[in-house]
Amino acid sequence: MEIVAIKGIIKDYPWGNDYFIPGLLGIRKGGIMAEYWLGTHPSGDAFLSDGTKLSDYISSDLEGALGPDNASRYNHLPLLLKILAVEKPLSLQCHPDKAQAIRGWKEEEGVRRKGGICNYQDDNKKAELLYALTPLTALCGFLPLGEIIANLKRYVPSSYESFLSSFSDEIGRIVFCLYSLSPEQKLMLLEEFKKNIAVSSMPVADGSFLTLRGVTGKCMDEHPGDIGIIFTLLMNIVHLSPGEALYMKPDTMHAYVSGNAVELMDASDNVLRGGLTRKRCDVDELMRIMDTSTLSIEKIVPSSSCGVSLLRTPSDTFTLARMEKGVYEHRSRTGIVIVLDGSLSIRGGGELDLGKGEAAFIPYSSECTLDVDGVVFEALIP
């Protein structure tokens, strides 16, 4: 099976920007672009130069594409590589693990058959790895209960005493209470928060990163009246400098707020939303799958050797490699490569020369060398 150049799928979600992905792909006046997908998910199947879908190319020789072991485990490419460009906050969201996805997919079978709106787009789990290419700010997981209560007392003291104090013994009960407030109570809570955050002495940003005030301001500008704004008081605000990375286990509430990144995940499009969106929020299902315990944020420390930085995660589905200038042997592994800067020459199993923004699929059966003159990322099945 030969190595092949591939083209990804552009997603023009409104939270994107008009410069990062167009600049990477060499597109002039490309408009808003939020994500660039390189994978085989039905919502965005990459394709070869002759128009063949990558999924069809892989299925034509599954063992050659994925290797004997992975071909017996999967009937498709189990990972999805993306480039993200985040100008405005994404929705608060959480993803299912494998058991939750199988259950949800099965339970919605009747709704799906009738063309109704479903929570589950497939029966796959969805964990994520986020690698910052520029300074990036995100909301990720819940703060310790004591810090949450302190934030609520500081920024919404009246609403806290009126609506929330009797639910403050557990994070999950606070979260459910916020979703259960009446429209009038939500408005009162948000108005109090808006007033108190505006008069605080906190700056909007600290260097290249947004503060609580900056994150809240972005959320208020884009989604006024959305109860998700209050979650900035409940969640960790995480800053990633270029080269830093996070692993998001499936049941973690999160939202990316600003910055550009490489994202690698399971081949799934299952999203349960919890706010900061005009799309459907199924609170009951969200509460069913979401982990509301405190999350201690730990950035991924890559292992580096001879110009390759390898970012391993708890996932059995994906690993991300970053390669700088050098020549590297590529044997007995399946990968998708994309050139972020400079060029890449692939020799053996088919010969390709790729420039900035170009990508290729390297099947398991193709042994080759990668001659990198710049920066290249590769998504690998472990």
Side-chain angles (χ1 to χ4, degrees):
M1 196 172 201
E2 291 191 350
I3 299 165
V4 289
I6 58 174
K7 294 282 188 181
I9 303 299
I10 295 168
K11 300 290 186 175
D12 58 352
Y13 306 135
W15 47 261
N17 62 46
D18 62 359
Y19 59 89
F20 192 78
I21 293 175
L24 173 66
L25 302 180
I27 300 174
R28 295 184 178 181
K29 298 181 179 180
I32 298 295
M33 297 182 187
E35 297 183 352
Y36 184 59
W37 290 27
L38 291 163
T40 59
H41 193 278
S43 297
D45 200 345
F47 55 94
L48 282 58
S49 58
D50 64 359
T52 301
K53 291 181 179 180
L54 180 57
S55 59
D56 291 336
Y57 184 69
I58 289 173
S59 64
S60 70
D61 182 3
L62 195 63
E63 189 166 308
L66 304 183
D69 290 342
N70 285 322
S72 66
R73 294 175 62 196
Y74 310 110
N75 61 359
H76 63 282
L77 183 70
L79 56 79
L80 175 59
L81 179 63
K82 297 181 180 180
I83 304 297
L84 299 189
V86 183
E87 193 73 17
K88 301 174 183 178
L90 279 69
S91 59
L92 287 168
Q93 57 191 267
C94 190
H95 311 302
D97 62 24
K98 183 62 176 177
Q100 291 165 340
I102 291 173
R103 171 193 54 76
W105 177 257
K106 184 177 181 180
E107 288 179 353
E108 293 184 331
E109 183 177 354
V111 178
R112 189 165 50 253
R113 194 184 306 118
K114 294 176 182 178
I117 298 174
C118 294
N119 292 314
Y120 294 89
Q121 310 307 310
D122 50 66
D123 64 354
N124 295 326
K125 64 183 174 71
K126 187 177 179 184
E128 299 175 349
L129 168 67
L130 186 74
Y131 181 101
L133 297 172
T134 62
L136 188 143
T137 298
L139 294 167
C140 181
F142 291 101
L143 291 164
L145 179 60
E147 291 184 36
I148 291 173
I149 293 173
N151 282 343
L152 292 171
K153 286 182 176 180
R154 179 178 180 183
Y155 291 104
V156 288
S158 296
S159 297
Y160 175 77
E161 291 300 327
S162 298
F163 315 133
L164 300 172
S165 60
S166 59
F167 296 88
S168 61
D169 56 331
E170 293 179 3
I171 297 173
R173 277 166 52 81
I174 293 174
V175 170
F176 189 74
C177 177
L178 287 170
Y179 286 130
S180 302
L181 294 176
S182 68
E184 294 76 19
Q185 290 171 328
K186 289 178 181 178
L187 179 61
M188 187 183 304
L189 182 69
L190 291 169
E191 286 298 321
E192 185 179 12
F193 186 25
K194 183 176 180 180
K195 176 183 175 181
N196 288 335
I197 197 77
V199 299
S200 73
S201 59
M202 185 187 299
V204 171
D206 181 8
S208 300
F209 299 110
L210 296 172
T211 63
L212 169 62
R213 185 176 180 181
V215 172
T216 300
K218 271 185 168 282
C219 295
M220 287 180 172
D221 288 345
E222 294 303 315
H223 302 284
D226 192 310
I227 195 62
I229 293 168
I230 299 297
F231 280 75
T232 60
L233 299 178
L234 279 62
M235 298 177 67
N236 295 286
I237 296 177
V238 182
H239 302 306
L240 297 181
S241 296
E244 292 186 320
L246 280 179
Y247 173 73
M248 231 78 65
K249 62 189 181 75
D251 55 9
T252 303
M253 177 80 100
H254 62 281
Y256 306 139
V257 180
S258 65
N260 307 295
V262 174
E263 187 179 38
L264 180 56
M265 63 180 65
D266 294 290
S268 172
D269 199 24
N270 287 326
V271 181
L272 277 297
R273 295 178 177 85
L276 304 180
T277 182
R278 295 170 182 83
K279 295 182 179 180
R280 177 174 183 253
C281 294
D282 185 337
V283 172
D284 290 338
E285 186 64 15
L286 175 68
M287 296 298 297
R288 194 175 179 184
I289 73 166
M290 180 172 58
D291 183 358
T292 56
S293 59
T294 296
L295 178 66
S296 178
I297 302 299
E298 295 182 6
K299 297 175 183 178
I300 296 176
V301 178
S303 58
S304 299
S305 177
C306 302
V308 178
S309 294
L310 204 59
L311 293 100
R312 293 186 174 90
T313 73
S315 173
D316 60 355
T317 309
F318 56 78
T319 296
L320 184 66
R322 181 185 185 276
M323 290 170 279
E324 296 183 341
K325 186 175 177 65
V327 178
Y328 309 96
E329 297 295 324
H330 196 288
R331 289 193 176 96
S332 301
R333 63 182 193 263
T334 303
I336 290 179
V337 292
I338 182 169
V339 182
L340 265 288
D341 190 40
S343 62
L344 168 65
S345 294
I346 304 175
R347 297 291 180 263
E351 298 187 354
L352 286 176
D353 293 308
L354 305 178
K356 181 178 178 179
E358 295 183 320
F361 173 71
I362 303 178
Y364 179 93
S365 61
S366 292
E367 296 186 358
C368 61
T369 60
L370 307 180
D371 188 348
V372 178
D373 186 9
V375 176
V376 171
F377 283 86
E378 182 172 21
L380 296 162
I381 307 174

